[in-house]
Amino acid sequence: CCPEAGEPSHGHPPRSEPKTEMWFTVLAIAVPIALGAGAALYMGLFKSVTFAQARFPGGTYVFTQHIGPYQNVGELFGKIMKVMGELGMKPEGGARCAMISCDDPRKVNATKLRSMCGVLLPPSMEARQAEQLAEALGRVGIKVETREMKEADARRTEFPFRNTMSFGLAAMKVYSAACKPEAGILPVDPGKHAGCPIEIYHATHIEYFFAREFPEQFAWPKDE
């Protein structure tokens, strides 16, 4: 006769339900994918980069020259931020770390990439504060220059800042978009990389300005 429902057949143990095994498999695959997609969304991987007409605010730029891979500037900015903290320069006061990238990494060897790394002080800050910052940076071995920057017409965009990975992701997304005709960015030199943009770092985002006038104030310092 046939076995009762649930009773072992021919002495073999009851088999687990295939559907249960299938759901565990689906979850094991779906959960990491969902988490990865969520992390990518949080980091801004799927963010579309668009540019708008804006005014670069100008100010006093206290900076040092850096030659080498762009991703190596983190340690330098760490030292700069420490000095800013010791001087009581807080973000709400308007002083922001800023970087100008002068070379296209697709065309220039990483060891020869030029950048200017420093602090952009708003026009509202007194000149003596720029002098104090320059002196304090000099005391910790960072040789700086000071450049007065005018307001300028520019194309602007921003990218969310989450952690140190944001710098590389933002550069990949923003500079790729900047080289497209629809970005409306006028190259400083026709046929070359779209000018020397300035990146301004905020607590929640990175701000990018591609100036369309006064290109000399965003250029690498000329040899004396």
Side-chain angles (χ1 to χ4, degrees):
C1 63
C2 295
E4 296 289 335
E7 179 183 338
S9 175
H10 303 293
H12 294 293
R15 299 177 62 184
S16 60
E17 285 290 333
K19 290 185 178 180
T20 302
E21 293 178 354
M22 180 186 71
W23 278 113
F24 275 120
T25 302
V26 170
L27 287 172
I29 296 172
V31 170
I33 292 176
L35 290 174
L41 182 64
Y42 175 74
M43 290 294 296
L45 182 62
F46 304 127
K47 174 181 170 58
S48 61
V49 176
T50 57
F51 294 86
Q53 190 67 21
R55 292 287 291 175
F56 168 70
T60 302
Y61 190 36
V62 180
F63 68 93
T64 187
Q65 300 177 22
H66 179 272
I67 298 179
Y70 288 148
Q71 63 264 32
N72 289 357
V73 301
E75 182 178 352
L76 175 58
F77 272 114
K79 294 178 180 178
I80 292 173
M81 291 175 67
K82 182 179 179 181
V83 171
M84 291 175 67
E86 293 171 350
L87 292 177
M89 288 186 173
K90 299 180 180 180
E92 53 266 30
R96 303 283 184 185
C97 286
M99 172 177 165
I100 298 177
S101 305
C102 299
D103 293 307
D104 185 342
R106 299 171 301 176
K107 300 176 181 178
V108 178
N109 186 284
T111 61
K112 297 181 179 180
L113 292 173
R114 301 169 301 166
S115 58
M116 293 177 276
C117 305
V119 182
L120 182 65
L121 306 176
S124 60
M125 295 190 78
E126 297 179 7
R128 64 180 180 82
Q129 291 178 287
E131 296 172 0
Q132 290 173 348
L133 177 60
E135 291 172 0
L137 289 170
R139 288 195 293 270
V140 297
I142 300 176
K143 182 182 177 181
V144 299
E145 303 172 51
T146 299
R147 180 179 291 182
E148 295 300 325
M149 305 186 80
K150 305 174 186 177
E151 283 191 28
D153 285 331
R155 299 292 285 174
R156 177 195 175 278
T157 191
E158 63 180 56
F159 197 85
F161 176 77
R162 307 303 186 195
N163 54 41
T164 54
M165 291 178 62
S166 296
F167 296 114
L169 183 58
M172 178 183 71
K173 297 274 290 185
V174 171
Y175 292 116
S176 294
C179 292
K180 297 178 180 179
E182 56 266 30
I185 294 170
L186 179 66
V188 174
D189 296 310
K192 292 187 177 182
H193 185 56
C196 293
I198 184 167
E199 305 175 10
I200 304 176
Y201 305 116
H202 301 260
T204 59
H205 64 281
I206 305 171
E207 193 174 23
Y208 294 81
F209 287 96
F210 291 77
R212 305 184 69 177
E213 58 181 346
F214 309 125
E216 67 281 356
Q217 66 184 13
F218 300 92
W220 183 257
K222 294 181 179 179
D223 294 330
E224 297 296 334

